[in-house]
Structures are given as C-alpha cells and as structure tokens.
Amino acid sequence: MKKLLSVILGATIASSVWANDQSFEQYVEGLKNEARNKGISEQTISAAFANVAYKPRAVTADRNQPEKRLTLDEYIPKAVPDWKVKQAKELYAKHKKALERVGEQYGVQPRFIVALWGIESNFGTFTGNYSVIDALSTMAYDGRREAFFRKETMAALTILDEGHIKPENMKGSWAGAMGQCQFMPSSFLSFAADGSGDGKKDIWDSEADVFASAANYLSQSGWINSRTWGRQVKLPRGFDTSIQGRGEDQGKYLHEWNELGVTRYDGRPLPKLDKDIKAWLIAPDDANGRVYLVYNNYNVLMKWNRSYYFALAVSHLADRIVL
C-alpha cells in the first residue's frame, strides 16, 4: 500500500512539475529575468532564489481546499471561541497605549486591529512556515493563476530589495500570505507601515508594525472611525430577500430598512441617528440563517478578505473586546 501511494504521489508531483512544458528550474530562470527587467538587484535575485524549491504541498493545499461549508451558527463559535476572546482582551490591555496611539493616528478603533490580528494569525502564532519565494514561485508555475502569482513574486522581491526582511526570514502561508497580518506581497507594498520607527516594515516580528500596517490598510480602504461594522437583525415574515447584497443599488438608509420592517435582533426598531447612514442587508446562509445589516466598515473588511464569514468573524470578535 505504501509503495502504491508513493507511486501515485510521485506521478502527481511529476505531472505538476512539467505542467508548463518546462521544468520548474527553467521557469524560475524566467522569473529571474522578469525581476531583472523590473530593476530588482542581482544581489537580491541571487539571495532570494538561492535555495528555491518546488512545493507540491502548496499546490495540493490550493486544489483541495475544504468543500464542506459550515453555517454561520457553526462557524462563528469556532472562529471566535471564548478562549480567543479572553486572549484578545488580554493582548489589548497589554498593548493598550500602542494600539490607541495607532488608532488615533489612522482613525481606526483599536478593537478592530486586535480582532484582525486574532482572526488572521491567532495573534501572530500561526503565520505559516513556507518560504514566500518558494510558495509564490510554485503557485505561479502551477499555472492556474499564473499572472496573479507572478505579480506577487515580483512584489515579494521588491520587499526584499528594499531591505525590510531577509529571504530566509520571509515566511508565510502556502499561498504567500505573510506575517502576523497575513498580507500578500502587493498588499505589503501598498499598506505596510513602520510603526516602530526603525525604518523597516516588519509584519513578522514587530507588533508595532503589525498594528500600524493593519490600521493603515483599513484607513486607506475607507474606514470610518465614528461608525461600527453593522448588526444582526430580524426580518418580517414574507420579506423579499432578493434585495440583499452589497451592490451600490442595494444599499438603503436605516430609516428605509425600518420602514420595510427590519428590526434589531431583539425586535426593537433600528436606531435613529442624527445623520442617517447607508446599510446593506446580507444573509450569507439564507434568510432562515443569520441576517445582518452591514455598514461601510464591513465593506472595508471585505476588501481585506472577500469572505462574508471572515468579515463577520472579525466583527464579532471586535464586538466582544470590551475592557
């Protein structure tokens, strides 16, 4: 049985290694040439690709992502267990001064910074052990999303060329998401910030840089500091759920949702604000599952990760961080 498994696995790897009618080594030479044409230094190219290796486990992980879908009632308790809430509160208290300074600088409530940190990497404890260059080169070579991963490979090389981290320390997930806030390299170049003032942007080991980078991402993506993310609501019987969604034409002001019979989860009317705000109705499972009215800040979280479940996990954790 072991021998048969070995043969099958070997065949799978071999077929993948020759997927582009060239060897992985030949493909890497093409990446090097592209990097040179983009102005990456020869020293960086040599160091980054010195021990580059094809990672079949990355391709397997990409092709075999879990198909079973949990409902929100199943997912939220798993993503935001009580122990994570407790740890989030402890870490918020520990870094309170730094978090509040960053929050004020970028206009982002610190609880959302901590929540993103917790959901993305369990507060920096699960960041991935793949060499980012290995992972991105492998995924580009695999070919299914080649343009995207080639672009990310070039971005990773730019980060190395700017001296933010050494190649051997540039670790991440099988898809190349890096550090404690799990930025893809292109997001790093757009949003990473030097929170410690040492001239580097270290999202791997500097918590100050992690906080500043997360806050900068939200700020530049349209975060509104005076607002929260949304709320769970109840729909009246027979409600037309076809009007749900995050399209611009599907957003309505709170007073309009009130008039349609949407209430807070406890049945009370939606809040009446001095300045009415737009909200969108989402029902990620269906109208029989959890239903939410979400605001602009939730849409910003969706720019970070285009998953309703991810954004709701961050939002629920942020709501529970009360010192």
Side-chain angles (χ1 to χ4, degrees):
M1 184 67 183
K2 287 184 178 179
K3 183 176 181 181
L4 176 61
L5 182 60
S6 176
V7 170
I8 293 172
L9 182 60
T12 300
I13 293 172
S15 64
S16 180
V17 170
W18 293 93
N20 284 295
D21 296 324
Q22 59 182 317
S23 69
F24 179 67
E25 291 74 19
Q26 290 171 323
Y27 189 83
V28 167
E29 289 304 314
L31 292 175
K32 290 180 180 179
N33 287 332
E34 182 177 345
R36 293 185 184 101
N37 292 335
K38 291 184 179 298
I40 304 297
S41 71
E42 198 63 42
Q43 182 179 359
T44 294
I45 294 170
S46 296
F49 290 107
N51 299 303
V52 69
Y54 180 79
K55 297 295 183 184
R57 286 191 302 118
V59 176
T60 300
D62 184 44
R63 294 184 179 182
N64 296 316
Q65 295 185 61
E67 293 182 3
K68 182 180 185 299
R69 181 176 176 180
L70 302 175
T71 66
L72 277 170
D73 282 338
E74 295 169 324
Y75 173 79
I76 294 296
K78 289 179 180 292
V80 190
D82 289 342
W83 65 262
K84 182 168 283 189
V85 175
K86 181 175 182 290
Q87 191 172 3
K89 291 179 178 179
E90 291 171 350
L91 288 168
Y92 188 124
K94 177 181 178 182
H95 299 286
K96 193 169 187 289
K97 287 185 179 179
L99 284 163
E100 290 182 348
R101 182 175 63 251
V102 166
E104 184 175 351
Q105 178 181 352
Y106 291 98
V108 175
Q109 303 96 311
R111 62 193 178 97
F112 284 95
I113 300 171
V114 175
L116 279 164
W117 187 30
I119 298 299
E120 278 290 16
S121 67
N122 193 31
F123 312 106
T125 60
F126 300 140
T127 58
N129 290 316
Y130 281 88
S131 157
V132 168
I133 297 299
D134 283 359
L136 294 174
S137 299
T138 295
M139 297 306 297
Y141 179 71
D142 180 56
R144 289 181 305 142
R145 289 175 286 166
E146 182 179 13
F148 171 77
F149 283 109
R150 282 189 80 102
K151 172 176 166 284
E152 294 298 336
T153 304
M154 295 304 120
L157 292 170
T158 300
I159 294 165
L160 293 172
D161 213 35
E162 292 178 353
H164 297 293
I165 193 167
K166 295 180 179 179
E168 60 270 24
N169 296 329
M170 188 185 242
K171 301 291 186 180
S173 73
W174 57 264
M178 312 180 303
Q180 296 187 36
C181 45
Q182 291 289 280
F183 277 179
M184 291 300 289
S186 59
S187 291
F188 181 103
L189 292 177
S190 296
F191 304 111
D194 175 15
S196 64
D198 66 356
K200 295 183 179 181
K201 300 171 184 177
D202 181 3
I203 62 171
W204 293 266
D205 296 312
S206 169
E207 288 165 344
D209 290 4
V210 171
F211 301 157
S213 298
N216 188 41
Y217 189 112
L218 297 179
S219 177
Q220 289 200 44
S221 299
W223 193 265
I224 299 174
N225 193 32
S226 61
R227 300 296 182 195
T228 186
W229 64 274
R231 67 179 66 245
Q232 190 171 355
V233 295
K234 280 188 175 179
L235 304 178
R237 189 181 299 276
F239 188 85
D240 179 10
T241 57
S242 66
I243 63 174
Q244 69 167 304
R246 291 172 47 252
E248 185 58 36
D249 60 337
Q250 291 163 304
K252 299 180 185 299
Y253 288 96
L254 283 181
H255 81 270
E256 295 177 293
W257 291 115
N258 247 328
E259 291 166 4
L260 289 170
V262 178
T263 68
R264 303 186 206 212
Y265 188 65
D266 63 8
R268 290 182 297 144
L270 296 172
K272 292 183 179 180
L273 305 175
D274 292 337
K275 184 178 180 181
D276 207 355
I277 61 173
K278 218 168 199 184
W280 290 259
L281 185 75
I282 63 167
D285 295 334
D286 56 42
N288 295 317
R290 297 192 185 201
V291 182
Y292 298 87
L293 277 180
V294 297
Y295 312 143
N296 172 78
N297 287 348
Y298 181 87
N299 294 334
V300 171
L301 291 173
M302 288 287 289
K303 293 178 183 178
W304 181 297
N305 185 319
R306 298 185 184 205
S307 162
Y308 283 114
Y309 280 31
F310 171 86
L312 287 169
V314 171
S315 300
H316 277 276
L317 180 54
D319 277 355
R320 295 186 65 186
I321 300 174
V322 180
L323 299 184

